[in-house]
Amino acid sequence: MTPSMEKFRAVATALAREAGELQRASLWQPLQIEHKGTIDLVTEVDKASEALLVGGLQQAFPQHDFLAEENVYAGRGASHKWIIDPLDGTTNFAHGFPWFAVSMALEIDGEICLGVVYHPMMNELFCAVKGEGAELNGVRLQVSPRSPLQQSLLATGFPYDSATDKENNFAHFANFQMSCRGIRRAGAAALDLAYVAAGRFDGFWESKLKPWDVAAGELLVREAGGRVSSFDGAAYSVYNHRIVASNGLIHEEMLAVLGRAAPTGVSS
Ligand code: IPD
Ligand code: CA
Ligand code: CA
């Protein structure tokens, strides 16, 4: 690993732990909560975490650009861009359900090269460096060897506007439910992807996600030996809004399910 990448990783992981500790200490405490939309929330802890992460990175790397969920940062046209979800799983956090994470990725010349996902309640730090593999608390990760789809455990999520937009994932959910062992909707896409990388889930799909939800996690999956694509199997970019990530073995079966029509009784 280059010395500069070692520094990026060291700074990012230290900041992720710091923001995660703030989140852990604030859970189950009184919170200031605002509505971004009818359902979509943001808490003071989302904002404070983003300030901590972006502030720390700006201090260490003043030339870099930033794309983060809670604020717009003026671009410098830099080759290095940090893509940050300061608190993935805000609905969980705001309701006191202890399942959320810090997600940070570094894009260099348009390629995701570093991904860090920190799960504060479990003290689990997932980290991937392009070409160097993925690790959990320093131990190498490998996707699961499980197949076929019928015996697989999957994860997904639903967009905040699923009550009003047709792309609501309901038909895909019904189709997968009839084709796999089980589906979990835990509420933090970054952790869903980290869990595919760790072999705890065998596959994940979701639509309408933002770059900060997936940038770190998709690198984790690829570096752990998995496959990531869009719903039609084409190459994936974090600026795509549809993602399928798997252990590779069940990927084609997942794509086939995503290509199916809605089962009878389920609207598309
Ligand atoms: C959300 C979570 C959730 C996914 C949503 C995302 P947020 O991110 O990742 O799992 O289903 O679509 O927006 O709002 O908690 O950062
Ligand atoms: Ca998110
Ligand atoms: Ca968030």
Side-chain angles (χ1 to χ4, degrees):
M1 198 184 314
T2 63
S4 54
M5 182 54 77
E6 268 180 31
K7 178 160 184 209
F8 300 147
R9 184 177 68 171
V11 172
T13 54
L15 288 167
R17 284 186 185 281
E18 214 182 310
E21 178 51 30
L22 169 73
Q23 295 169 12
R24 201 195 54 74
S26 315
L27 184 69
W28 301 314
Q29 304 300 320
L31 287 175
Q32 277 175 34
I33 303 176
E34 290 167 39
H35 277 259
K36 289 207 241 181
T38 324
I39 291 174
D40 201 357
L41 305 173
V42 60
T43 75
E44 59 190 304
V45 180
D46 295 66
K47 293 179 184 175
S49 299
E50 184 164 313
L52 188 158
L53 297 169
V54 174
L57 290 168
Q58 276 173 334
Q59 212 178 341
F61 312 113
Q63 309 307 326
H64 291 185
D65 275 344
F66 294 87
L67 174 65
E69 182 171 11
E70 308 303 344
N71 290 285
V72 175
Y73 301 88
R76 296 183 166 83
S79 54
H80 291 52
K81 180 164 73 186
W82 291 91
I83 304 177
I84 297 173
D85 191 337
L87 200 171
D88 185 48
T90 297
T91 305
N92 289 343
F93 182 79
H95 284 255
F97 182 70
W99 198 260
F100 48 85
V102 177
S103 176
M104 307 166 80
L106 177 62
E107 185 190 81
I108 305 178
D109 294 325
E111 251 193 301
I112 306 297
C113 294
L114 170 69
V116 174
V117 173
Y118 182 55
H119 188 182
M121 305 310 290
M122 300 283 277
N123 189 25
E124 288 194 323
L125 184 87
F126 300 83
C127 182
V129 175
K130 186 178 160 260
E132 306 275 346
E135 292 181 346
L136 164 55
N137 290 348
V139 177
R140 188 74 177 236
L141 288 180
Q142 182 69 42
V143 292
S144 74
R146 194 168 290 107
S147 69
L149 183 60
Q150 193 65 60
Q151 287 172 34
S152 297
L153 185 63
L154 306 181
T156 192
F158 300 93
Y160 286 116
D161 61 359
S162 62
T164 52
D165 194 279
K166 270 185 134 182
E167 188 162 355
N168 53 28
N169 199 22
F170 298 166
H172 295 319
F173 186 85
N175 282 326
F176 273 115
Q177 182 63 28
M178 292 186 274
S179 312
C180 71
R181 177 166 283 152
I183 306 175
R184 301 293 176 261
R185 194 289 191 243
L191 284 176
D192 291 336
L193 285 161
Y195 270 44
V196 173
R200 297 169 181 176
F201 287 140
D202 307 302
F204 166 75
W205 85 95
E206 193 162 337
S207 56
K208 302 184 83 175
L209 289 174
K210 298 290 197 310
W212 47 77
D213 297 313
V214 287
E218 74 93 24
L219 182 66
L220 279 163
V221 172
R222 287 190 288 118
E223 287 296 329
R227 180 173 164 196
V228 182
S229 76
S230 58
F231 282 10
D232 59 3
Y236 178 73
S237 142
V238 297
Y239 302 99
N240 256 35
H241 73 281
R242 296 187 184 123
I243 182 170
V244 195
S246 77
N247 61 8
L249 302 173
I250 60 166
H251 209 88
E252 290 299 327
E253 281 186 279
M254 288 189 74
L255 297 180
V257 172
L258 288 165
R260 268 192 227 152
T264 315
V266 178
S267 58
S268 58

